[in-house]
Amino acid sequence: MKNYFRMPVMTCSHAGVGPFANTRRTLGALTRALAVMTLVLTVSGCATTTYSFHLRKHGVENGHKLVWPQQPDVPRFMYLGEITGENNYDKSAAGSLDKFIDAVVGFVAGESAPDMLQRPQSGVTDENGDTYVTDVSRQAVYVFSQSQNLRIWNMAGKHQKFLAPIAVALGKGGELLVTDAELGIVARLSPDGAPLGVIGKGDLKRPTGIARDSDNGLIFVADTYDHNIKVFDDNGDLVRVIGHRGAEKGTLNYPIHLACAKGKIYVTDTLNARVQVFDEEGNFLFTFGKRGLYKGEFTRPKGIAVDSDGNIYVIESFYDYLLVYNNKGVFLMPLGGSGSEPGKFYLPAGVWVDNKDRVFVADMFNRRVVVFQYLGGS
């Protein structure tokens, strides 16, 4: 058996048109719009609208299950769908009033294009299934709630917008922690997206990956330009620094992403083309992977995640693969390859796993997050 899991404004110059005709028409349109909006505001207090989030399936017929590997091998992963933006929501009105309001607003304001992911980098999914995705092109965090419409948070501070949000982690008390590589900070956001402060200002050069151990309240940040991992407590105090620049075991060369699981820190040591594993005190445990062109080897490893069975997922961005390893770093199987169809990627960046062992891949240049279900390895 293969080693899978055993492995301007224009003015009218026509004759007969008075000099104030455009002004009168504009005022008339504004008057009608104000009247309609007054009606909307009057009745909208009675309206209730629910939003239902769902994964969109691209290129898969209804009822068909797309799995990896395919028979006769035992399937280990199943394609669930994609997250692309506002079109992941079904909007159902509680009554005809909501539909009327939507129609009126559309008539007055005009139809607008839905908000869609542009260049997703990474993300995290909480215990309720709400998913937070960083988008470096939109310079914001997309919030895909199970019960609210799509929200987009673009403020890193009270008077500061995000410039290059890279990765995100769940903080204490429902907070969200977002690294911004250009600002050199970790932004703390409330559960409603309000800026609460920053971590690491003055300590971080170019923060990228982030993970938090909820058991001991430690926050791990990959500081790419400083070639190390900086560890903060929940108060934002710097506790320790893990690693320094080098090629030997335990040293780092442009680390980008990291994951935290069962007291271990997994780091994509990108320009060393490997993964390094440390304990939370910063002690080196083991490393795996090497530079190469064969599947299971690395050219530009980026995102990393760990599932409940200890399997390790690594994004090989250059060749558009999600590579799967066991808890000892032994290569098991690849998912992906270049393309836009289900199970294919175009410059993927981040990967994360939720509490249901769903595997999310930030498929950056396909402008989507692809979701798989890990089916178990027994």
Side-chain angles (χ1 to χ4, degrees), residues 252-331:
L252 301 165
N253 191 17
Y254 289 92
I256 293 183
H257 283 283
L258 48 81
C260 176
K262 297 181 179 179
K264 296 184 179 68
I265 308 303
Y266 301 78
V267 185
T268 48
D269 188 10
T270 301
L271 290 195
N272 279 329
R274 64 189 179 187
V275 171
Q276 301 240 53
V277 185
F278 302 85
D279 66 20
E280 294 189 349
E281 296 296 322
N283 299 306
F284 171 79
L285 298 178
F286 67 96
T287 183
F288 66 89
K290 64 179 182 178
R291 195 181 311 278
L293 302 179
Y294 293 100
K295 292 176 183 177
E297 298 175 337
F298 297 133
T299 299
R300 286 292 183 271
K302 288 190 177 179
I304 188 166
V306 182
D307 68 23
S308 64
D309 281 345
N311 299 305
I312 306 165
Y313 302 85
V314 184
I315 294 290
E316 170 43 60
S317 63
F318 193 84
Y319 287 104
D320 303 313
Y321 275 101
L322 174 65
L323 305 176
V324 188
Y325 303 80
N326 70 10
N327 59 4
K328 295 180 175 60
V330 176
F331 179 58

Side-chain angles (χ1 to χ4, degrees), residues 85-102:
E86 203 169 15
N87 59 358
N88 280 97
Y89 288 88
D90 286 331
K91 183 179 176 183
S92 59
S96 59
L97 180 59
D98 288 309
K99 297 179 181 178
F100 169 74
I101 292 172
D102 288 342

Side-chain angles (χ1 to χ4, degrees), residues 123-181:
V124 68
T125 301
D126 66 20
E127 61 183 5
N128 299 317
D130 295 347
T131 298
Y132 306 82
V133 182
T134 57
D135 192 306
V136 72
S137 177
R138 183 64 171 77
Q139 297 177 301
V141 177
Y142 284 63
V143 183
F144 295 93
S145 169
Q146 296 293 308
S147 59
Q148 300 182 56
N149 197 13
L150 173 65
R151 291 167 290 166
I152 299 177
W153 298 341
N154 63 0
M155 298 303 294
K158 188 175 181 180
H159 303 292
Q160 177 65 64
K161 291 185 177 182
F162 284 113
L163 295 182
I166 302 298
V168 59
L170 301 174
K172 67 173 182 178
E175 288 184 9
L176 204 66
L177 306 172
V178 186
T179 60
D180 192 298

Side-chain angles (χ1 to χ4, degrees), residues 154-378:
N154 63 0
M155 298 303 294
K158 188 175 181 180
H159 303 292
Q160 177 65 64
K161 291 185 177 182
F162 284 113
L163 295 182
I166 302 298
V168 59
L170 301 174
K172 67 173 182 178
E175 288 184 9
L176 204 66
L177 306 172
V178 186
T179 60
D180 192 298
E182 291 294 328
L183 295 176
I185 61 167
V186 175
R188 296 174 51 231
L189 306 181
S190 75
D192 295 325
L196 298 176
V198 301
I199 294 172
K201 187 172 184 178
D203 292 321
L204 297 167
K205 290 185 177 180
R206 189 173 180 83
T208 49
I210 187 171
R212 178 178 178 269
D213 186 339
S214 59
D215 291 334
N216 56 26
L218 292 179
I219 301 165
F220 301 83
V221 182
D223 196 350
T224 301
Y225 280 8
D226 212 17
H227 311 285
N228 57 38
I229 307 302
K230 291 188 169 67
V231 187
F232 301 87
D233 61 23
D234 279 333
N235 296 319
D237 295 324
L238 181 63
V239 176
R240 67 180 66 94
V241 177
I242 300 174
H244 57 84
R245 191 171 192 179
E248 301 82 16
K249 293 180 180 179
T251 64
L252 301 165
N253 191 17
Y254 289 92
I256 293 183
H257 283 283
L258 48 81
C260 176
K262 297 181 179 179
K264 296 184 179 68
I265 308 303
Y266 301 78
V267 185
T268 48
D269 188 10
T270 301
L271 290 195
N272 279 329
R274 64 189 179 187
V275 171
Q276 301 240 53
V277 185
F278 302 85
D279 66 20
E280 294 189 349
E281 296 296 322
N283 299 306
F284 171 79
L285 298 178
F286 67 96
T287 183
F288 66 89
K290 64 179 182 178
R291 195 181 311 278
L293 302 179
Y294 293 100
K295 292 176 183 177
E297 298 175 337
F298 297 133
T299 299
R300 286 292 183 271
K302 288 190 177 179
I304 188 166
V306 182
D307 68 23
S308 64
D309 281 345
N311 299 305
I312 306 165
Y313 302 85
V314 184
I315 294 290
E316 170 43 60
S317 63
F318 193 84
Y319 287 104
D320 303 313
Y321 275 101
L322 174 65
L323 305 176
V324 188
Y325 303 80
N326 70 10
N327 59 4
K328 295 180 175 60
V330 176
F331 179 58
L332 299 175
M333 63 177 290
L335 282 83
S338 301
S340 60
E341 58 267 36
K344 300 289 185 179
F345 310 117
Y346 184 14
L347 285 180
V351 59
W352 65 99
V353 178
D354 70 0
N355 58 2
K356 298 179 180 178
D357 272 340
R358 295 183 300 175
V359 183
F360 298 72
V361 177
D363 189 9
M364 183 170 61
F365 270 49
N366 277 325
R367 302 186 178 193
R368 65 188 181 187
V369 173
V370 185
V371 187
F372 304 90
Q373 179 66 61
Y374 169 56
L375 300 175
S378 59

Side-chain angles (χ1 to χ4, degrees), residues 98-119:
D98 288 309
K99 297 179 181 178
F100 169 74
I101 292 172
D102 288 342
V104 169
V105 172
F107 172 76
V108 174
E111 295 295 331
S112 60
D115 285 310
M116 307 293 287
L117 289 170
Q118 297 177 13
R119 290 289 185 268

